[in-house]
C-alpha cells in the first residue's frame, strides 16, 4: 500500500490488488514465490495420497510395504511443508524442502531395490500395477517438483531412480508373462525392445513435463511482477496528481482569502471616508 493525500488534506492508504501483493510479496525470487504460491496444493496432494493409501489398506485388509512407504512419506512431508510455509526465512525453508523432496523418493526407491530381488517371481496383477505406477509416478513427481520448485539436477536424479525401478518392473512383468520363452519371436523381440526403451521414454517425458511446468510458472511470475510494477507506477502517478490537485486547491483558497481581506479593507476605508462628512451634515441639521 502507498500513502495518498486527499483533497481534504488527510493522508490515506492506496488500495493495491490483493492477488498481486499476495503472490509476489515484494522483491522475492521466483523459487520462494512458487514455494509459497502452491502451499495449499501440496497439502491437499498429501491428504489425497494419504487417503488413497488408507482406503486401499482398508479395502484389501492388507498392509503392503509400498503403501506403508507412501503413508510414511506423506506423514513426514505434510507437516514439514506446512511449517516451512510459516518460517521466517523462506529462502532457507524452501532449500530444506527441496532437499527433503529429493530425499524421500530416492530413499524409498533405494530401499525397495535392495529389499526386492530382480529375479523374484510375482503375480501378473501386481506386476501390471507396479508397471502403471512406474510410468505415472515419475511424470506426476516431475510436475509436483516444478511447483515446489526443485532444481533440475535433483529432478534428473529422481527420474534416474524411477527409470531404474521401471526397468526392474518391466523385467518382472516379462518373467510373469513368459515373454522370453513363449510366443512369436518377432513379437517377443518387439516387446523386449519396447520394454527396454520405455524407461528412457518415461525419463524424457518426465523431464519435459518438469521443464514445461517450470517455464509456465516463471512466465506467470514475470507477468505478476509486471502487473505489480505497473500498479506501483499507477499509484505513484495517482499520488502525484492528488498532491498537485491539493496544492492547486490550497493556492486558490489562499488567493480567495487574500481577495476577501483586500475587499474588507477597501470597504472599511470607504465607510470611514464617507462617515465623517455625513456626521457633520447631521450636526448642522440639528443646529
Amino acid at each position: 500500500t502507498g500513502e495518498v493525500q486527499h483533497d481534504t488534506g488527510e493522508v490515506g492508504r492506496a488500495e493495491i490488488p490483493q492477488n498481486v501483493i499476495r503472490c509476489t510479496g515484494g522483491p522475492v525470487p521466483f523459487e520462494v514465490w512458487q514455494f509459497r504460491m502452491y502451499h495449499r496444493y501440496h497439502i491437499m496432494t498429501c491428504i489425497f495420497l494419504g487417503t488413497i493409501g488408507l482406503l486401499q489398506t482398508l479395502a484389501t485388509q492388507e498392509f503392503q510395504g509400498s503403501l506403508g512407504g507412501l503413508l510414511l512419506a506423506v506423514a513426514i512431508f505434510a507437516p514439514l511443508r506446512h511449517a516451512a510455509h510459516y518460517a521466517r526465512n523462506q529462502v532457507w525453508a524452501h532449500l530444506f524442502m527441496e532437499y527433503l523432496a529429493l530425499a524421500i523418493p530416492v530413499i524409498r526407491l533405494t530401499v525397495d531395490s535392495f529389499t526386492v530381488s530382480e529375479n523374484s517371481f510375482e503375480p501378473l496383477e501386481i506386476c501390471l500395477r507396479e508397471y502403471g505406477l512406474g510410468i505415472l509416478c515419475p511424470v506426476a513427481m516431475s510436475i509436483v517438483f516444478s511447483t515446489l520448485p526443485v532444481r533440475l539436477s535433483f529432478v534428473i536424479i529422481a527420474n534416474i531412480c524411477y527409470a531404474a525401478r521401471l526397468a526392474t518392473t518391466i523385467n518382472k512383468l516379462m518373467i510373469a508373462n513368459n515373454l522370453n520363452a513363449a510366443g512369436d519371436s518377432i513379437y517377443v523381440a518387439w516387446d523386449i525392445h519396447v520394454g527396454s526403451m520405455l524407461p528412457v521414454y518415461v525419463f524424457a517425458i518426465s523431464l519435459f513435463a518438469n521443464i514445461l511446468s517450470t517455464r509456465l510458472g516463471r512466465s506467470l511470475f514475470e507477468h505478476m511482477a509486471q502487473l505489480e510494477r505497473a500498479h506501483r507506477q499507477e499509484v505513484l502517478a495517482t499520488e502525484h496528481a492528488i498532491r498537485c490537485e491539493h496544492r492547486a486547491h490550497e493556492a486558490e483558497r489562499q488567493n480567495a482569502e487574500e481577495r476577501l481581506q483586500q475587499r474588507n479593507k477597501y470597504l472599511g476605508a470607504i465607510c470611514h471616508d464617507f462617515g465623517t462628512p455625513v456626521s457633520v451634515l447631521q450636526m448642522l441639521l440639528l443646529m
Side-chain angles (χ1 to χ4, degrees), residues 19-258:
N19 57 348
V20 176
I21 294 302
R22 187 180 299 120
C23 291
T24 55
V28 295
F30 163 72
E31 290 77 9
V32 176
W33 175 82
Q34 187 94 324
F35 177 71
R36 294 188 59 82
M37 186 73 175
Y38 287 93
H39 166 247
R40 294 183 180 178
Y41 168 76
H42 296 153
I43 298 300
M44 291 177 62
T45 302
C46 291
I47 294 174
F48 174 76
L49 293 177
T51 304
I52 293 298
L54 290 175
L55 291 178
Q56 187 173 358
T57 302
L58 294 176
T60 58
Q61 298 295 328
E62 295 180 359
F63 190 76
Q64 300 178 358
S66 59
L67 292 178
L70 175 63
L71 295 177
L72 181 61
V74 169
I76 294 174
F77 184 84
L80 292 177
R81 176 66 183 89
H82 184 70
H85 182 73
Y86 296 99
R88 290 185 177 181
N89 194 332
Q90 288 294 301
V91 176
W92 285 102
H94 166 257
L95 186 63
F96 172 76
M97 294 306 301
E98 190 177 11
Y99 279 93
L100 180 64
L102 173 67
I104 289 177
V106 169
I107 292 175
R108 181 185 174 190
L109 294 175
T110 304
V111 171
D112 289 344
S113 64
F114 280 108
T115 55
V116 180
S117 60
E118 295 184 358
N119 297 323
S120 61
F121 178 79
E122 292 183 357
L124 182 62
E125 293 78 7
I126 297 177
C127 293
L128 289 175
R129 186 187 64 185
E130 293 182 356
Y131 180 74
L133 291 176
I135 296 175
L136 293 177
C137 285
V139 179
M141 178 213 63
S142 298
I143 296 175
V144 172
F145 275 14
S146 66
T147 62
L148 197 55
V150 176
R151 64 193 68 183
L152 186 60
S153 59
F154 286 5
V155 178
I156 293 175
I157 293 173
N159 276 302
I160 289 175
C161 294
Y162 273 110
R165 172 66 181 274
L166 181 60
T168 303
T169 304
I170 292 173
N171 187 22
K172 293 179 182 179
L173 182 62
M174 288 191 296
I175 293 175
N177 203 23
N178 295 323
L179 292 179
N180 293 324
D184 193 356
S185 59
I186 298 178
Y187 293 105
V188 170
W190 175 252
D191 290 336
I192 294 175
H193 174 73
V194 172
S196 61
M197 293 301 297
L198 185 61
V200 179
Y201 300 150
V202 174
F203 176 82
I205 293 173
S206 302
L207 198 61
F208 174 76
N210 179 266
I211 295 174
L212 180 61
S213 180
T214 303
R215 287 187 176 181
L216 291 176
R218 193 175 292 276
S219 63
L220 178 61
F221 172 74
E222 293 175 354
H223 179 66
M224 298 296 290
Q226 291 177 359
L227 288 179
E228 185 183 8
R229 288 193 296 267
H231 188 78
R232 286 180 179 176
Q233 294 177 357
E234 183 180 356
V235 168
L236 293 176
T238 304
E239 292 177 355
H240 180 69
I242 290 176
R243 284 195 297 267
C244 293
E245 185 178 0
H246 178 72
R247 291 173 183 173
H249 286 313
E250 187 67 22
E252 184 179 356
R253 185 181 62 82
Q254 291 178 359
N255 292 332
E257 290 179 354
E258 291 177 357

Side-chain angles (χ1 to χ4, degrees), residues 257 259-269:
E257 290 179 354
R259 289 195 297 267
L260 181 61
Q261 291 177 0
Q262 292 176 0
R263 187 186 64 177
N264 292 334
K265 290 180 180 180
Y266 177 73
L267 292 176

